[in-house]
Amino acid sequence: MEADCHSVLLVSHDSKIISQISAFLIPPLFELTSTSDFNEARRLSGERTFSIIIVDSGDGFDIDFAVNVSEGYSTVLLLVPAEHFDEVSYRVEGFGVLTATKPFEPFYFYNMIKAAIAVQYKVQTLSSQTVKLKTKMEEIRVVNRAKMLLMQNLKMTEQEAHRFLEKEAMDKGMKRIAVADDVIRTYG
């Protein structure tokens, strides 16, 4: 697999953490955007989807931002002080937020980033499958509506309506949903 560029948003008030993480996440494998302002981070995450969002929780309890951005497609990694790790981790894991302690060892942080990338690939795969399923369900709904209209207006059986849509699609070189849309426009 070709190496992808992972967009990362880092939110931290701590210049030391920003410096440490910036040293790890270097181009071309990573495109890093950092900010110390949570309002700016909200704006940035609303404008685009980042692969990974790293949130440095100052005292371990300002986790609202991490939970809010976890609703999107980004993988969220929350850095918390070691003394609050268990409590915070328990509170955010149900939202799919990964947690790591700070200060962190470079090897540990590297492994957390690798885990975040793996999670991101899984999210992308599942998202793609969800879109395909929604599209298929919409097609089934439209085709069923068209069949119902053919049955009501042309007194066809369900099998005849199904065959009609399939044959029209094949004869006209159209997708079945396009033929169903035509039927709905005609009889709906």
Side-chain angles (χ1 to χ4, degrees), residues 23-69:
F24 274 102
L25 307 180
I26 56 174
L29 191 54
F30 297 98
E31 174 196 329
L32 179 63
T33 304
S34 62
T35 182
S36 60
D37 180 13
F38 280 88
N39 289 326
E40 174 73 2
R42 275 186 188 78
R43 186 187 65 76
L44 289 168
S45 64
E47 290 176 355
R48 68 179 278 207
T49 300
F50 290 90
S51 302
I52 302 169
I53 298 177
I54 302 171
V55 182
D56 175 18
S57 175
D59 62 4
F61 294 104
D62 52 347
I63 60 175
D64 292 340
F65 174 77
V67 169
N68 288 339
V69 295

Side-chain angles (χ1 to χ4, degrees), residues 4-12 16-35 50-56 75-79 104-118:
D4 294 330
C5 179
H6 305 282
S7 58
V8 179
L9 174 62
L10 169 60
V11 189
S12 177
K16 183 179 175 186
I17 286 183
I18 291 172
S19 177
Q20 286 177 318
I21 292 175
S22 296
F24 274 102
L25 307 180
I26 56 174
L29 191 54
F30 297 98
E31 174 196 329
L32 179 63
T33 304
S34 62
T35 182
F50 290 90
S51 302
I52 302 169
I53 298 177
I54 302 171
V55 182
D56 175 18
T75 300
V76 180
L77 175 58
L78 180 63
L79 303 175
F104 50 82
E105 293 294 322
F107 181 75
Y108 176 69
F109 181 74
Y110 174 77
N111 283 327
M112 287 303 294
I113 291 297
K114 295 296 279 180
I117 290 170

Side-chain angles (χ1 to χ4, degrees), residues 9 13 27 56 59 76 87 98 100 129 140 147 153 155 180 183:
L9 174 62
H13 295 291
D56 175 18
D59 62 4
V76 180
E87 181 182 352
L98 301 172
Q129 290 172 348
I140 290 169
K147 282 194 234 180
N153 292 291
K155 307 300 183 216
V183 168

Side-chain angles (χ1 to χ4, degrees), residues 79-188:
L79 303 175
V80 297
E83 63 270 15
H84 301 298
F85 178 80
D86 289 333
E87 181 182 352
V88 171
S89 177
Y90 180 77
R91 286 176 52 195
V92 300
E93 66 188 14
F95 298 98
V97 175
L98 301 172
T99 52
T101 58
K102 66 176 189 175
F104 50 82
E105 293 294 322
F107 181 75
Y108 176 69
F109 181 74
Y110 174 77
N111 283 327
M112 287 303 294
I113 291 297
K114 295 296 279 180
I117 290 170
V119 168
Q120 185 58 33
Y121 281 130
K122 190 65 163 178
V123 166
Q124 289 172 348
T125 300
L126 292 174
S127 175
S128 173
Q129 290 172 348
T130 300
V131 168
K132 287 177 186 174
L133 285 172
K134 285 181 178 179
T135 302
K136 187 66 175 170
M137 287 172 52
E138 177 62 15
E139 180 181 333
I140 290 169
R141 188 190 66 73
V142 170
V143 168
N144 284 342
R145 171 116 171 91
K147 282 194 234 180
M148 184 192 71
L149 289 169
L150 289 170
M151 291 164 56
Q152 288 174 347
N153 292 291
L154 301 180
K155 307 300 183 216
M156 292 182 176
T157 65
E158 192 272 336
Q159 292 151 337
E160 291 169 334
H162 179 80
R163 264 188 260 124
F164 174 82
L165 293 172
E166 293 287 324
K167 185 168 178 0
E168 284 292 304
M170 199 179 319
D171 291 348
K172 294 181 177 179
M174 297 169 61
K175 291 188 179 233
R176 187 173 56 155
I177 191 165
V179 173
D181 282 334
D182 288 345
V183 168
I184 291 170
R185 275 193 294 279
T186 302
Y187 297 107

